[in-house]
């Protein structure tokens, strides 16, 4: 299992698990949540991408131009399109918009690495804005690859790093002043009158904060209120209006159970044993309302005897013992390494929450122990809390949309962790005390459209039910059960691609796009993911929503040796085959017009046939190479459906130029020279039409991606 790389230090927040605690957020500041627009109603994201045409540098690499989630691209290096600036300018039109690299994650489904970029407008961060790309790695050793060379650049090694996926959430049409009208010194007047201290202030650009689809320049203010304690406020930097405030602590309830006497993975220091190890420290802080994580709060006992109840509460031992096991599951099953975890047990406290931290940084958690006389320590709750710190690297908990995904995703992680450790799946979170908190099989809320305007905890419940449907299946709803590890890999992959304030439709699109790329639309995995989204009232608008809808896929050899000169892909479909001549096939990639198929190629296209059978692979400047083979097929209504497969061409005998030698030996030719040189040198591979006037030939010239770049009459003597 590849390990996640954790590179982004995030502002710390904590989270609640039970809807009983409520959402501390709005405080009467926001408009009525039943009024106004949702993020999906505001058509300001990805405007440039939605209008990509043949004038755009990315056009020839575009495979699925209608996707709103994860866009599948034919692999290309930044050098192929000239520069990083060319790439970013192709996905946005406003020169005031820039992007800054934030972090990378190793792909779980593919051989590659995701790179996340945060959007800025005139050097002010745009909340939720940015994009994620995935670069494919040809050497199958993603951990040895070089990192980004600068803040604003992705990896540029053309041999190891080709952009293959794009997940954009870029906010455009911003037209606000980024010079605050309100002085930072006067922010306190916008907050409540009992403010004791302001601990931090940052300028941000937000969209739709007040549900009016508007952009605002705001101060994000961390402050302490005598009346409310620690708070985060969002203040309009031009009017001084407090738009939104929330507490950084959103508590949850947690159950516990007595697991009896268990061995502790503790540590000897001097003549004492302490409740800590190389990654976990456990504290007992009952009665300490400020929860000091001081070393003298870590239980200790003489090393010449076992622990006993005089050394610490049994719940403190249980927390240490169970948390250590949970951390192993995160590492071994999910590839997520927590490096420095601090957990405090507070027996006089009725909630549990994350205070701050991400897996790659010190993280701090508190677990309570006064709910119906029970302490709140159990596998699913510990997994839930640790899950919040995992997802905080990608999703913000601050607002309703991202916060509700946080809660649903954390429930999924907690349930998954518990199932691994117990050997069977338990769909109820918090039933071990017994205290039934949330039932993923039979939730209070199982439909997204019914919870859009509820609190984060309620709003997250349909997501947990979606997980249940995908893994358990439902014969009534035509949902086949999916392997849970396959599901978790897909889910964690999708989260990496999301914007910071993503919502259900964003996660839906990401999972649909990834399961299509990984398994194809004829797979049971695809049907499961699709139908489960529909069941929880998240419309996918996919052509296969109908249970009897037809699927389409390509099957064949996708890794080939160039020496063998053969590639074959065939349509697999349950559509009625109206006429094999109605299909058309396109090859995208290097020397795409020089492939030869049994049926015959015209440029880089084959017209007709249920298969494309290549018997001649042209020589490439270096290896390995990737081509994309795309097939269009009409359905019964005459609408064309597109399906594609990536084919990797390898030099199996290692007797041709590898990529690094090609790039190190000489500079790569410019695109114009490269096209002309290859086209004329291999003129016999291109479509040539004779016509009788003046003994001339009309040569149709294609670029390397198969597009016509020029036409000219060339005088040629005919002997």
């Amino acid at each position: 299992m590849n390990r996640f790389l954790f590179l982004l230090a995030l502002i710390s927040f904590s989270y609640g698990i039970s809807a009983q605690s409520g959402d501390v957020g709005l405080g009467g500041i926001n408009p009525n949540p039943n009024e106004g627009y949702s993020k999906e109603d505001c058509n300001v994201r990805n405007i440039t991408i939605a209008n990509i045409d043949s004038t755009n540098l990315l056009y020839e690499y575009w495979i699925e131009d209608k996707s709103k989630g994860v866009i599948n691209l034919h692999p290309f290096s930044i050098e192929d399109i000239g520069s990083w600036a060319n790439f970013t300018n192709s996905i946005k039109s406003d020169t005031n918009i820039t992007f800054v690299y934030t972090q990378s994650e190793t792909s779980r489904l593919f051989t590659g690495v995701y790179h996340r970029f945060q959007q800025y407008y005139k050097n002010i961060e745009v909340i939720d804005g940015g994009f994620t790309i995935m670069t494919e790695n040809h050497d199958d050793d993603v951990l040895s690859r070089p990192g980004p060379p600068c803040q604003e650049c992705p990896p540029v090694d053309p041999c190891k790093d080709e952009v293959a996926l794009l997940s954009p959430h870029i906010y455009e049409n911003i037209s606000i002043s980024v010079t605050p009208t309100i002085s930072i010194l006067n922010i306190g007047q916008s907050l409540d009158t009992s403010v004791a201290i302001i601990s931090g202030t940052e300028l941000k650009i937000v969209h739709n904060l007040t549900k009016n689809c508007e952009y605002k320049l705001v101060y994000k203010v961390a402050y302490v209120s005598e009346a409310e304690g620690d708070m985060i406020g969002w203040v309009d930097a031009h009017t001084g209006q407090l738009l939104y405030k929330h507490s950084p602590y959103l508590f949850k309830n947690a159950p516990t159970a007595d697991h009896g006497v268990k061995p502790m993975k503790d540590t000897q220091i001097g003549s004492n044993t302490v409740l800590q190890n190389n990654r976990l420290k456990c504290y007992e802080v009952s009665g300490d309302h400020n929860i000091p994580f001081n070393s003298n709060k870590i239980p200790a006992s003489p090393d010449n005897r076992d622990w006993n109840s005089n050394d610490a509460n049994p719940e403190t031992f249980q927390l240490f013992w169970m948390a250590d096991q949970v951390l192993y599951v995160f590492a071994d099953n999910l590839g997520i390494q927590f490096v420095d975890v601090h957990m405090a047990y507070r027996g006089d406290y009725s909630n549990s929450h994350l205070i701050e931290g991400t897996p790659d940084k010190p993280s701090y958690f508190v677990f309570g122990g006064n709910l119906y006389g029970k302490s709140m320590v159990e596998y699913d709750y510990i997994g839930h809390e640790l899950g919040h710190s995992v997802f905080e690297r990608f999703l913000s908990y601050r607002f309703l949309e991202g916060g509700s995904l946080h809660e649903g995703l954390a429930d999924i992680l907690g349930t998954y962790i518990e199932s691994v450790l117990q050997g069977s799946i338990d769909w109820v979170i918090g039933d071990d005390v017994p205290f039934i908190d949330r039932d993923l099989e039979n939730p209070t809320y199982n439909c997204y459209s019914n919870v859009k305007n509820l609190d984060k905890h309620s709003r997250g419940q349909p997501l947990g039910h979606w997980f249940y449907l995908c893994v358990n299946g439902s014969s009534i709803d035509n949902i086949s059960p999916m392997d849970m590890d396959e599901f978790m890999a897909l889910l964690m992959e999708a989260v990496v691609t999301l914007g910071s304030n993503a919502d259900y439709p964003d996660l839906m699109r990401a999972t649909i796009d990834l399961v299509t790329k990984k398994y194809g639309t004829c797979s049971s995995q695809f049907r499961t993911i699709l139908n489960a989204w529909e069941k929880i009232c998240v419309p996918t608008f996919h052509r296969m929503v109908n249970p009897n809808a037809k699927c389409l896929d390509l099957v064949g050899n996708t890794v080939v040796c160039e020496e063998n000169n053969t590639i074959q892909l065939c349509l697999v479909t349950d559509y009625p085959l109206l006429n094999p001549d109605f299909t058309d096939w396109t090859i995208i990639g290097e020397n795409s017009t020089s492939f030869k198929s049994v049926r015959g190629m015209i440029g880089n296209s084959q017209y007709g046939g249920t298969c494309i059978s290549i018997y001649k692979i042209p020589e490439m400047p270096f290896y390995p190479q990737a081509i994309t083979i795309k097939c269009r097929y009409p359905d019964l209504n005459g609408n064309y459906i597109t399906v594609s497969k990536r084919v990797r061409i390898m030099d199996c005998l290692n007797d041709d130029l590898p990529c690094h030698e090609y790039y190190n030996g000489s500079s790569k030719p410019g695109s114009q020279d490269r096209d002309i040189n290859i086209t004329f040198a291999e003129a016999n591979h291109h479509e040539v039409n004779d016509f009788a006037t003046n003994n001339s030939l009309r040569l149709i010239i294609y670029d390397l991606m198969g597009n016509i770049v020029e036409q000219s009459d060339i005088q040629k003597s005919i002997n």
Side-chain angles (χ1 to χ4, degrees):
M1 176 67 71
N2 290 325
R3 301 299 187 193
F4 270 4
L5 308 176
F6 303 108
L7 304 177
L8 180 63
L10 298 170
I11 298 172
S12 304
F13 286 85
S14 59
Y15 312 95
I17 191 170
S18 173
Q20 290 187 351
S21 300
D23 186 350
V24 181
L26 302 181
I29 295 170
N30 274 16
N32 186 331
N34 294 309
E35 300 175 358
Y37 297 98
S38 70
K39 188 176 69 170
E40 290 291 308
D41 298 323
C42 307
N43 298 317
V44 294
R45 286 191 303 172
N46 307 329
I47 296 173
T48 300
I49 288 172
N51 293 286
I52 278 183
D53 58 22
S54 58
T55 64
N56 191 294
L57 285 174
L58 294 183
Y59 180 76
E60 60 185 352
Y61 305 102
W62 222 246
I63 302 298
E64 298 161 288
D65 55 353
K66 294 183 180 180
S67 174
K68 294 183 179 180
V70 180
I71 299 169
N72 187 24
L73 303 171
H74 178 74
F76 64 91
S77 70
I78 296 302
E79 187 165 325
D80 287 335
I81 59 172
S83 68
W84 174 244
N86 284 350
F87 173 71
T88 56
N89 288 336
S90 296
I91 59 177
K92 51 88 176 177
S93 58
D94 190 340
T95 57
N96 293 310
I97 294 175
T98 55
F99 305 100
V100 173
Y101 166 80
T102 58
Q103 63 176 326
S104 294
E105 295 289 334
T106 300
S107 172
R108 296 166 177 272
L109 300 179
F110 314 106
T111 303
V113 177
Y114 288 97
H115 308 277
R116 289 172 66 89
F117 293 84
Q118 172 63 47
Q119 177 184 351
Y120 287 78
Y121 177 78
K122 295 183 178 180
N123 298 319
I124 304 295
E125 180 182 342
V126 180
I127 297 297
D128 194 39
F131 66 90
T132 302
I133 59 174
M134 188 189 79
T135 55
E136 289 191 337
N137 182 277
H138 301 173
D139 293 345
D140 296 330
D141 186 11
V142 294
L143 296 182
S144 67
R145 56 181 310 285
C150 65
Q151 273 195 322
E152 297 184 357
C153 302
V156 294
D157 185 337
C159 299
K160 284 191 173 182
D161 304 295
E162 292 183 316
V163 179
L165 289 177
L166 169 66
S167 178
H169 33 94
I170 301 166
Y171 288 85
E172 301 185 74
N173 287 353
I174 303 174
S175 58
I176 60 173
S177 170
V178 295
T179 302
T181 304
I182 304 299
S183 169
I184 195 172
L185 300 176
N186 298 325
I187 293 178
Q189 300 174 14
S190 302
L191 308 173
D192 63 65
T193 57
S194 66
V195 172
I197 186 173
I198 294 177
S199 57
T201 303
E202 300 174 274
L203 269 179
K204 308 284 185 182
I205 293 174
V206 297
H207 177 257
N208 201 38
L209 185 63
T210 55
K211 306 302 180 185
N212 291 318
C213 290
E214 80 297 346
Y215 288 108
K216 288 185 180 294
L217 181 71
V218 300
Y219 287 111
K220 177 186 174 185
V221 187
Y223 66 98
V224 179
S225 163
E226 293 178 0
E228 298 178 287
D230 291 342
M231 295 295 292
I232 302 293
W234 302 79
V235 177
D236 191 312
H238 291 303
T239 68
Q241 180 186 4
L242 179 60
L243 303 173
Y244 187 91
K245 66 179 180 179
H246 58 84
S247 168
Y249 307 119
L250 298 174
F251 300 112
K252 67 175 185 181
N253 296 315
T256 188
D258 183 7
H259 288 264
V261 176
K262 298 293 180 180
M264 298 292 105
K265 189 180 178 182
D266 41 28
T267 304
Q268 181 178 348
I269 299 179
S271 59
N272 285 331
T273 303
V274 293
L275 210 57
Q276 68 180 67
N277 55 41
N278 61 335
R279 62 182 173 185
L280 173 64
K281 294 182 176 66
C282 201
Y283 304 74
E284 188 167 279
V285 293
S286 296
D288 292 313
H289 295 283
N290 292 325
I291 314 176
F293 287 88
N294 298 328
S295 58
N296 62 357
K297 298 293 183 178
I298 301 175
S301 66
D303 62 5
N304 60 357
R305 63 169 174 81
D306 287 337
W307 295 94
N308 61 47
S309 58
N310 294 322
D311 301 317
N313 289 323
E315 291 84 358
T316 305
F317 293 126
Q318 181 169 308
L319 175 62
F320 184 78
W321 173 70
M322 299 185 79
D324 191 65
Q325 297 173 67
V326 169
L327 290 172
Y328 271 106
V329 176
F330 269 100
D332 295 343
N333 292 64
L334 297 173
I336 302 174
Q337 294 278 6
F338 284 81
V339 298
D340 188 13
V341 177
H342 302 255
M343 291 188 170
Y345 175 74
R346 193 176 148 189
D348 60 340
Y349 195 58
S350 61
N351 292 298
S352 299
H353 62 279
L354 161 69
I355 293 181
E356 64 175 315
T358 53
D360 62 318
K361 303 292 182 182
S363 51
Y364 299 86
F365 305 82
V366 172
F367 288 85
N370 194 22
L371 182 64
Y372 304 121
K374 300 287 186 177
S375 61
M376 290 167 287
V377 179
E378 196 51 75
Y379 289 128
D380 49 11
Y381 281 87
I382 296 173
H384 178 108
E385 293 299 351
L386 289 167
H388 276 305
S389 66
V390 170
F391 296 125
E392 180 63 11
R393 293 170 298 129
F394 313 107
L395 286 167
S396 170
Y397 196 89
R398 284 47 145 190
F399 304 120
L400 186 63
E401 295 91 343
S404 60
L405 283 193
H406 247 282
E407 287 298 335
L409 290 167
D411 277 356
I412 291 172
L413 259 188
T415 302
Y416 171 74
I417 293 290
E418 184 181 62
S419 72
V420 172
L421 290 168
Q422 293 186 165
S424 61
I425 194 162
D426 173 7
W427 295 111
V428 180
I429 293 183
D431 61 331
D432 299 282
V433 279
F435 169 62
I436 296 179
D437 193 13
R438 280 200 291 277
D439 186 343
L440 278 62
E441 180 178 2
N442 300 293
T444 303
Y445 303 102
N446 60 13
C447 183
Y448 167 64
S449 59
N450 294 336
V451 299
K452 285 185 179 180
N453 299 313
L454 300 183
D455 65 276
K456 296 171 186 175
H457 302 93
S458 300
R459 203 175 185 274
Q461 288 191 39
L463 192 60
H465 189 56
W466 173 71
F467 168 55
Y468 164 79
L469 290 171
C470 289
V471 173
N472 188 75
S474 171
S475 57
I476 297 176
D477 301 304
N478 195 33
I479 300 173
S480 301
M482 184 175 178
D483 178 81
M484 185 156 43
D485 288 320
E486 282 186 345
F487 173 89
M488 291 303 298
L490 178 72
L491 179 67
M492 300 300 288
E493 188 99 351
V495 170
V496 172
T497 71
L498 300 179
S500 59
N501 193 34
D503 203 356
Y504 276 72
D506 299 298
L507 183 60
M508 176 273 293
R509 286 189 285 263
T511 55
I512 292 292
D513 291 337
L514 289 173
V515 76
T516 300
K517 179 177 175 61
K518 178 66 176 178
Y519 300 108
T521 59
C522 292
S523 66
S524 62
Q525 294 93 334
F526 172 84
R527 287 280 192 179
T528 292
I529 295 295
L530 181 78
N531 292 339
W533 279 121
E534 295 285 340
K535 180 62 179 177
I536 67 162
C537 313
V538 180
T540 63
F541 305 107
H542 197 281
R543 61 180 174 82
M544 292 180 63
V545 168
N546 187 314
N548 298 317
K550 308 301 183 181
C551 73
L552 187 70
D553 203 358
L554 297 181
V555 297
N557 48 338
T558 56
V559 179
V560 301
C561 297
E562 54 94 8
E563 297 89 352
N564 292 341
N565 266 327
T566 57
I567 303 171
Q568 179 164 294
L569 292 179
C570 294
L571 278 173
V572 172
T573 180
D574 44 18
Y575 281 94
L577 192 59
L578 302 178
N579 189 327
D581 292 334
F582 289 171
T583 61
D584 61 74
W585 301 76
T586 304
I587 298 177
I588 304 171
E590 195 85 18
N591 290 350
S592 60
T593 60
S594 298
F595 288 81
K596 292 185 177 181
S597 70
V598 173
R599 188 178 179 94
M601 303 289 295
I602 300 177
N604 64 328
S605 298
Q606 171 187 297
Y607 297 101
T610 57
C611 297
I612 184 169
S613 300
I614 301 297
Y615 69 88
K616 172 61 177 178
I617 299 174
E619 290 186 6
M620 300 291 182
F622 59 86
Y623 295 93
Q625 291 281 340
I627 62 170
T628 299
I629 297 181
K630 181 169 66 172
C631 181
R632 295 171 69 245
Y633 180 75
D635 63 15
L636 294 175
N637 298 317
N639 299 314
Y640 273 91
I641 304 167
T642 300
V643 62
S644 64
K645 272 287 190 288
R646 192 83 43 76
V647 177
R648 182 69 64 184
I649 303 174
M650 311 296 291
D651 173 23
C652 297
L653 297 181
N654 296 316
D655 57 354
D656 291 293
L657 200 63
C659 184
H660 281 291
E661 289 186 18
Y662 171 76
Y663 278 96
N664 293 336
S666 61
S667 60
K668 193 173 183 180
S671 59
Q672 183 176 1
D673 293 340
R674 176 184 59 185
D675 292 340
I676 292 174
N677 290 340
I678 293 177
T679 300
F680 278 88
E682 304 181 45
N684 60 308
H685 293 301
H686 300 282
E687 180 185 351
V688 180
N689 295 325
D690 289 291
F691 61 97
T693 306
N694 296 325
N695 294 327
S696 63
L697 295 176
R698 186 170 180 83
L699 183 65
I700 299 178
I701 301 177
Y702 299 85
D703 66 16
L704 295 180
M705 305 304 289
N707 302 307
I708 297 176
V709 293
E710 65 176 283
Q711 296 186 7
S712 60
D713 290 345
I714 300 175
Q715 297 295 325
K716 183 176 181 181
S717 173
I718 301 178
N719 295 323

